[in-house]
């Protein structure tokens, strides 16, 4: 009989318990979506503060019409590897993305698949990889392929560039290139990578290359929606970017950005998933073409401005209400500390009851005592929606404190030394 591996038992049990409570794997049963609300747990309508479609483009009528038209013209799937034959639409989309990034790009069905093609080609066994301890799991998965080929791999404390510099100095005489792997915007706490300092280090150390998963930075930030990283620095010759189109761009798929055309072509011709996996669906490619067209319009900045106003309001109001917001980052991801998993369950259940859906962030995504509410804002929700969420939370925290069930200062303290390095790498 199948035995659940010991180390997964806890995760499995947590998911199963959470599902029974309606806070994990919640099922949305609406027959039509509007982006702002969803119906969960057999009939409860809640304002959706777990949506990562930051600009609200997933229900944009122009994009929807483009996708419907594409299915009628090209069918639901073009069933061949692009290595043999593919729709010209693929190349059209790459050309359009090059207008946003001003660098060569490859498109692929998911960010994860993009990293899996990129890393084994970019990274040599003589290289060293240093991963931020919070870099997304999909980068870690691709790094494991490099490690299995003999590349030296280690983790580093979150965003600590003084330690990075020490590491570079330790490793630089023994390795060809040094790769630092990070997220552009971290998907749990919503903090942005220190790009300006990294630019300085890339200029200082010839061997340093920076590989960034900017999945959560795409569209809402940067010139023409090119993402958080390019909102901070200009493209650097030793910078490699991957961005998801299933968040800010509102369509699905991913785009990988390279410093030069030879690298792009080598990865397209030799990357395992580029060769052996199927292409993006035609409806996704055509909706991405429409989404890029929207990104390139002169009024695109209005959409970015709308989300920035919501982000700023969230921070300002949390301060006024003394909500234990962990970090105040100008990104659409917020993390409110609640401490234990039991508190996480208590908060999320009460929030659903009150008409708000937020994600519960718990172990192993965050350390055990750092459970929190991971809240995303989109252009679908109004300033009034944000206000009512935060006022509810403030009242709930006050009530829990008066009953001795919660202590916001204790929670703040639990997050102070927040970042821990895992004991083992792999
Ligand atoms: C930072 C980050 N990168 C990558 C992904 C996975 O993207 P994809 O589903 O395109 O593989 C996620 C998941 O949401 C993410 O948060």
């Amino acid at each position: 009989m199948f035995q659940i591996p010991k180390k997964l038992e806890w995760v499995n049990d947590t998911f199963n318990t959470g599902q029974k409570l309606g806070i994990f794997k919640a099922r949305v049963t609406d027959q039509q979506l509007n982006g702002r609300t969803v119906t969960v747990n057999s009939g409860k309508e809640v304002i959706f503060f777990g949506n990562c479609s930051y600009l609200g483009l997933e229900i944009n009528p122009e994009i929807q019409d483009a996708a419907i038209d594409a299915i009628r013209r090209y069918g639901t799937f073009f069933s061949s590897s692009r290595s043999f034959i593919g729709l010209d639409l693929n190349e059209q989309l790459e050309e359009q993305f090059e207008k946003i990034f001003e660098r060569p790009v490859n498109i692929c069905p998911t960010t994860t698949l993009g990293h899996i093609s990129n890393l084994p080609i970019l990274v040599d066994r003589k290289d060293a990889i240093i991963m931020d301890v919070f870099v997304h799991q999909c980068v870690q998965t691709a790094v494991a392929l490099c490690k299995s080929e003999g590349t030296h791999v280690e983790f580093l404390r979150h965003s600590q560039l003084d330690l990075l510099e020490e590491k570079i100095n330790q490793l630089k005489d023994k390795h060809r290139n040094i790769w630092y792997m990070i997220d552009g915007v971290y998907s749990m706490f919503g903090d942005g990578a220190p790009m300006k300092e990294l630019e300085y280090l890339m200029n200082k150390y010839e061997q340093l290359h920076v590989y960034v998963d900017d999945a959560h930075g795409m569209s809402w930030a940067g010139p023409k929606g090119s993402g958080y990283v390019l909102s901070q620095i200009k493209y650097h010759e030793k910078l490699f970017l991957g961005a998801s189109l299933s968040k800010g761009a509102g369509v699905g798929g991913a785009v990988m950005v390279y410093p030069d055309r030879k690298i792009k072509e080598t990865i397209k011709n030799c990357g395992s998933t580029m060769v052996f996996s199927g292409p993006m669906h035609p409806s996704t490619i055509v909706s991405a073409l429409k989404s890029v067209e929207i990104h390139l319009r002169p009024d695109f900045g209005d959409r970015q401005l709308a989300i920035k106003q919501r982000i700023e309001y969230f921070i300002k109001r949390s301060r006024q209400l003394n909500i234990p917001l962990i970090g105040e980052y100008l990104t659409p991801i917020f993390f409110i500390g609640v401490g234990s998993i039991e508190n996480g369950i208590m908060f999320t259940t009460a929030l659903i009851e009150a008409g708000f859906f937020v994600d519960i962030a718990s172990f192993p995504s965050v350390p055990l005592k750092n459970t929190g509410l991971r809240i995303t804002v989109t252009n679908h929700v109004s300033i009034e929606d944000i206000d009512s969420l935060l006022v509810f939370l403030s009242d709930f925290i006050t009530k829990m404190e008066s009953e001795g069930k919660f202590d916001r200062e204790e929670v703040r303290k639990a997050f102070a030394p927040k970042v821990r390095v895992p004991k083992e790498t792999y």
Side-chain angles (χ1 to χ4, degrees):
M1 206 182 83
F2 172 68
Q3 291 284 325
I4 300 172
K6 266 256 164 296
K7 62 180 182 182
L8 296 183
E9 241 171 51
W10 192 88
V11 178
N12 207 32
D13 289 348
T14 308
F15 265 118
N16 287 338
T17 313
Q19 189 173 14
K20 281 191 200 116
L21 293 167
I23 56 173
F24 283 138
K25 299 203 254 171
R27 291 192 196 180
V28 173
T29 51
D30 304 77
Q31 295 305 304
Q32 179 148 18
L33 293 174
N34 59 31
R36 176 177 171 265
T37 58
V38 285
T39 307
V40 292
N41 303 351
S42 321
K44 182 79 197 166
E45 189 183 60
V46 284
I47 303 178
F48 188 18
F49 282 102
N51 189 356
C52 297
S53 179
Y54 302 115
L55 298 181
L57 290 174
E58 85 282 22
I59 55 160
N60 176 286
E62 285 185 82
I63 296 179
Q64 284 175 323
D65 288 347
I68 292 162
D69 183 49
I71 290 183
R72 297 232 180 278
R73 286 162 182 266
Y74 307 109
T76 47
F77 195 57
F78 188 86
S79 193
S80 174
S81 162
R82 281 177 72 192
S83 307
F84 296 121
I85 183 168
L87 293 172
D88 183 58
L89 293 168
N90 288 289
E91 274 70 25
Q92 288 175 30
L93 182 57
E94 288 173 357
E95 279 160 24
Q96 287 301 98
F97 267 122
E98 292 182 6
K99 292 185 186 155
I100 292 186
F101 290 104
E102 298 170 10
R103 280 289 185 285
V105 308
N106 281 328
I107 54 163
C108 42
T110 68
T111 321
T112 308
L113 291 175
H115 297 322
I116 289 175
S117 269
N118 282 348
L119 292 190
I121 290 177
L122 294 173
V123 180
D124 188 86
R125 70 175 63 173
K126 296 189 212 80
D127 293 355
I129 294 177
I130 302 168
M131 277 189 283
D132 186 287
V133 73
F134 282 176
V135 72
H136 195 265
Q137 182 62 43
C138 64
V139 176
Q140 299 188 32
T141 300
V143 166
L145 298 172
C146 303
K147 189 174 160 84
S148 72
E149 289 293 311
T151 306
H152 175 87
V153 175
E154 50 187 294
F155 277 105
L156 201 66
R157 272 172 184 261
H158 182 47
S159 285
Q160 299 227 344
L161 297 193
D162 50 338
L163 296 184
L164 175 66
E165 200 163 357
E166 264 176 39
K167 271 283 158 222
I168 295 170
N169 283 312
Q170 281 168 22
L171 295 170
K172 72 181 169 43
D173 296 332
K174 291 187 230 130
H175 297 278
R176 190 192 69 156
N177 288 329
I178 297 169
W179 294 84
Y180 183 48
M181 310 262 167
I182 56 175
D183 285 4
V185 173
Y186 285 87
S187 56
M188 282 294 133
F189 293 99
D191 52 319
M195 290 314 306
K196 292 195 176 79
E197 293 83 346
L198 282 169
E199 180 183 44
Y200 168 79
L201 291 179
M202 278 191 279
N203 290 334
K204 182 166 174 189
Y205 295 99
E206 205 191 328
Q207 285 155 292
L208 178 66
H209 291 62
V210 176
Y211 187 95
V212 195
D213 180 324
D214 202 16
H216 287 278
M218 177 79 196
S219 301
W220 67 269
K224 296 174 271 183
S226 51
Y228 178 80
V229 170
L230 298 180
S231 76
Q232 302 296 302
I233 59 167
K234 287 216 165 59
Y235 202 94
H236 192 284
E237 292 314 310
K238 291 185 291 167
L239 177 68
F240 294 77
L241 276 181
S244 163
L245 307 179
S246 57
K247 305 188 192 299
V251 289
V255 57
M256 302 287 135
V257 190
Y258 310 103
D260 70 58
R261 210 153 283 283
K262 189 156 180 216
I263 299 179
K264 163 196 159 119
E265 276 161 16
T266 309
I267 288 170
K268 185 179 264 180
N269 292 334
C270 313
S272 61
T273 59
M274 297 282 172
V275 177
F276 296 107
S277 298
M280 276 168 79
H281 293 204
S283 57
T284 313
I285 303 175
V286 174
S287 36
L289 275 165
K290 186 54 79 178
S291 181
V292 174
E293 187 189 315
I294 292 172
H295 282 61
L296 293 172
R297 286 182 192 156
D299 64 355
F300 185 68
D302 297 348
R303 296 175 196 271
Q304 292 184 317
L305 189 63
I307 190 80
K308 281 177 189 149
Q309 284 165 344
R310 286 160 174 75
I311 294 167
E312 280 167 10
Y313 185 78
F314 197 107
I315 293 173
K316 185 179 95 184
R317 195 72 176 117
S318 299
R319 264 190 220 156
Q320 285 168 352
L321 295 166
N322 191 17
I323 301 236
L325 191 59
I326 306 304
E328 292 184 353
Y329 311 113
L330 289 171
T331 73
I333 304 175
F334 298 98
F335 193 98
I336 294 175
V338 296
S340 65
I341 179 80
E342 290 76 17
N343 281 354
I345 292 171
M346 180 172 80
F347 271 80
T348 33
T349 328
L351 279 161
I352 290 180
E353 201 43 46
F356 305 101
F357 188 91
V358 308
D359 296 336
I360 175 168
S362 61
F363 184 80
S365 305
V366 292
L368 256 182
K369 290 190 179 143
N370 291 165
T371 302
L373 311 175
R374 188 254 204 179
I375 299 174
T376 55
V377 295
T378 66
N379 281 345
H380 292 305
V381 298
S382 63
I383 296 283
E384 292 71 32
D385 291 334
I386 295 171
D387 196 70
S388 54
L389 168 75
L390 294 175
V391 168
F392 173 81
L393 269 172
S394 166
D395 292 347
F396 188 71
I397 290 172
T398 307
K399 180 166 165 282
M400 289 297 112
E401 283 187 324
S402 69
E403 291 172 13
K405 292 183 186 155
F406 189 75
D407 181 339
R408 70 186 95 190
E409 292 322 315
E410 277 303 307
V411 166
R412 282 204 169 99
K413 264 190 241 151
F415 279 87
K418 192 171 48 79
V419 186
R420 292 163 209 178
V421 186
K423 283 209 183 75
E424 46 191 285
T425 48
Y426 283 108

